[in-house]
């Protein structure tokens, strides 16, 4: 399964945390709950797109992870 960077932010309008992930919608009263919900939504969307033969977009953003030599 593809890896997508997900930003989660507090929405004053929704009074809860929501993710910023194209094609997926989720909500949580905490950041952790919103993340759990969007991961479920992402998996469901990717499965549905694959089953319907839709093109799955490539991840656009990958944060750089640097390693510190000891």
């Amino acid at each position: 399964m593809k890896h997508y960077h997900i930003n989660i932010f507090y929405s004053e309008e929704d009074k809860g945390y929501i993710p910023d992930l194209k094609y997926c919608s989720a909500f949580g009263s905490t950041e952790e709950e919103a993340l759990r919900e969007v991961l479920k939504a992402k998996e469901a969307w990717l499965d549905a797109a694959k089953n319907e033969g839709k093109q799955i977009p490539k991840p656009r953003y990958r944060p750089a992870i640097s390693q510190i030599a000891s």
Side-chain angles (χ1 to χ4, degrees), residues 38-59:
V38 78
L39 290 175
K40 289 182 210 174
K42 178 188 80 166
E43 185 174 341
W45 186 89
L46 289 171
D47 287 345
K50 183 178 177 184
N51 290 338
E52 294 176 15
K54 292 185 177 179
Q55 184 176 2
I56 297 173
K58 292 182 181 181

Side-chain angles (χ1 to χ4, degrees), residues 63-67:
I65 300 174
S66 60
Q67 294 179 330

Side-chain angles (χ1 to χ4, degrees), residues 20-35:
D20 177 22
L21 183 62
K22 190 173 184 177
Y23 305 122
C24 292
S25 179
F27 177 85
S29 55
T30 65
E31 292 174 353
E32 292 82 8
E33 183 181 6
L35 179 59

Side-chain angles (χ1 to χ4, degrees), residues 1-2 9 11 13 15 18-19 27 31 34-37 42 44 50 52 58 62 64 69-70:
M1 183 171 294
K2 295 181 183 286
F9 61 93
S11 168
E13 179 181 340
K15 303 291 186 217
I18 59 175
F27 177 85
E31 292 174 353
L35 179 59
R36 279 193 306 272
E37 293 301 313
K42 178 188 80 166
K50 183 178 177 184
E52 294 176 15
K58 292 182 181 181
R62 293 287 300 213
S70 44

